[in-house]
Amino acid sequence: TPDRVVMTAELQAQIRQCMAQLPEQFRLIIVLRDIQGLSYEDIAELTGLNLGTVKSRLARARQKLQALITPLLKS
């Protein structure tokens, strides 16, 4: 429905705004993993980080993004 299209577009815009607020090191990892679908190993190779660092940064990035998005969803 048109209402759903508008709501989806608004949510996407809010998510983009929240992503822009993340520090670059976190934003990059989220984009590579969750948007581009790269494996942890590929991200580690691409960024020059070790595998454990990639995993921990992704976990922290997701937590930070969730903290930014949650208040928006409640309003």
Side-chain angles (χ1 to χ4, degrees), residues 23-63:
E24 177 64 26
Q25 66 180 358
F26 295 131
R27 186 171 54 246
L28 175 64
I29 300 295
I30 285 183
V31 168
L32 293 175
R33 178 68 181 164
D34 294 335
I35 296 174
Q36 294 185 1
L38 296 180
S39 68
Y40 295 112
E41 293 80 7
D42 289 341
I43 296 169
E45 184 177 326
L46 184 66
T47 60
L49 300 169
N50 73 43
L51 191 58
T53 302
V54 169
K55 290 179 179 182
S56 66
R57 282 193 187 171
L58 182 59
R60 286 195 305 265
R62 287 175 175 164
Q63 287 175 336

Side-chain angles (χ1 to χ4, degrees), residues 2-38:
D3 289 341
R4 187 174 181 99
V5 170
V6 169
M7 289 177 64
T8 300
E10 288 175 2
L11 180 59
Q12 288 175 347
Q14 290 176 332
I15 291 171
R16 280 192 298 275
Q17 289 175 347
C18 291
M19 286 283 294
Q21 293 177 43
L22 292 176
E24 177 64 26
Q25 66 180 358
F26 295 131
R27 186 171 54 246
L28 175 64
I29 300 295
I30 285 183
V31 168
L32 293 175
R33 178 68 181 164
D34 294 335
I35 296 174
Q36 294 185 1
L38 296 180

